[in-house]
Amino acid sequence: MSRWKGLPEELDPRVRQLVVRLRRVKDHSGLSLRRLAAKTGYSTSSWERYLAGRSLPPREAVEAMARLGGDDPTRLLALHEVAAEAWGTVAVHRGPPTGPGTDTPRPHGRALRVTLIAGSVALVLAVAAAVLLAVRLTDGEGEAAAAPLAPSASTSAPGSPTQSERPRYTCRAERIDGRWYAGNSRTGKAVLAEGHAGPEVAEAQCLLREADLAPGAVDGIFGPHTKRAVKELQKRSGLVVDGIIGPHTWKALRE
């Protein structure tokens, strides 16, 4: 078992989770950094940066690590997607070294566009979640922590969305082809984590309720209560308990 150095304190928790998982897979494989570099095509110095949290590994490197360590590539790639959202904006501006004399493969134009889009989506989701939370707070402490109530008669700041303008989600659970659906989204692959918002989150919240768990209000916002309920479901289903909804957790929710 390798004796790893501590990761930087300022490292985003979503990136930290990916790095810790990669370290475990590397230990399980029994490969040295030199042999890992020879088998994956990424240099020893690149893997040193990836496993120290100083650089985000490419998707292909994560998939190669999973294959060599006998780990589930779907689960590792789901963690990589979440980590890429956290890393995306900084990585776009900073960019990895490329070209002759460096040990990082030159990124293709498509990969750069994907990174730009991922960073933009993450920013939009974060802003949307902040706006929804701010609106909930301004509605007063008497609002019930469940589905949105009828429009409030109280006045609100000019230009701010009223309660009737906010998304309303309902749970209409039905079983189709052996799987549960709640009427908000039919996804089985969307990767969701704390801070995300939208109909996919509402779908997960409805299904968590159907599983007799307590995700809080079905408001489409992935908050602490929803994360706690996801972890309980993962523990119950024998999955990795990380509070992140990926393909395996969706499968458990819809069974």
Side-chain angles (χ1 to χ4, degrees), residues 74-246:
T74 303
R75 185 174 302 171
L76 262 181
L77 291 175
L79 291 177
H80 181 268
E81 285 190 48
V82 175
E85 290 183 3
W87 191 281
T89 303
V90 176
V92 167
H93 291 292
R94 181 178 59 192
T98 59
T102 64
D103 55 20
T104 303
R106 180 182 295 275
H108 297 291
R110 182 174 179 274
L112 180 58
R113 289 196 297 274
V114 170
T115 304
L116 284 167
I117 292 170
S120 301
V121 171
L123 180 59
V124 170
L125 289 174
V127 171
V131 170
L132 288 172
L133 288 172
V135 171
R136 286 175 62 82
L137 290 174
T138 57
D139 282 338
E141 295 180 357
E143 182 179 354
L149 301 178
S152 172
S154 61
T155 59
S156 58
S160 63
T162 63
Q163 194 174 28
S164 60
E165 293 172 338
R166 277 177 270 149
R168 292 172 178 269
Y169 300 106
T170 57
C171 299
R172 301 185 300 275
E174 57 178 335
R175 199 160 178 83
I176 302 173
D177 295 330
R179 294 183 179 276
W180 285 103
Y181 296 91
N184 296 297
S185 172
R186 296 179 68 85
T187 182
K189 297 181 179 180
V191 178
L192 305 175
E194 189 171 7
H196 285 187
E200 292 83 5
V201 176
E203 177 78 1
Q205 290 171 330
C206 289
L207 295 176
L208 286 166
R209 282 191 171 187
E210 287 296 316
D212 294 326
L213 298 170
V218 179
D219 53 9
I221 300 173
F222 200 126
H225 293 295
T226 301
K227 182 175 182 179
R228 191 179 310 116
V230 170
K231 284 186 173 182
E232 185 62 32
L233 174 73
Q234 290 170 332
K235 182 178 179 181
R236 178 193 299 180
S237 303
L239 302 174
V240 174
V241 181
D242 54 12
I244 298 172
I245 300 177

Side-chain angles (χ1 to χ4, degrees), residues 7 11-24 76 78-80 82-83 193 227 231 234 240-244:
L7 293 171
L11 194 65
D12 187 282
R14 289 166 288 183
V15 180
R16 180 184 298 272
Q17 190 170 29
L18 172 65
V19 175
V20 170
R21 183 75 181 182
L22 287 174
R23 286 180 171 185
R24 290 176 183 170
L76 262 181
L79 291 177
H80 181 268
V82 175
K227 182 175 182 179
K231 284 186 173 182
Q234 290 170 332
V240 174
V241 181
D242 54 12
I244 298 172

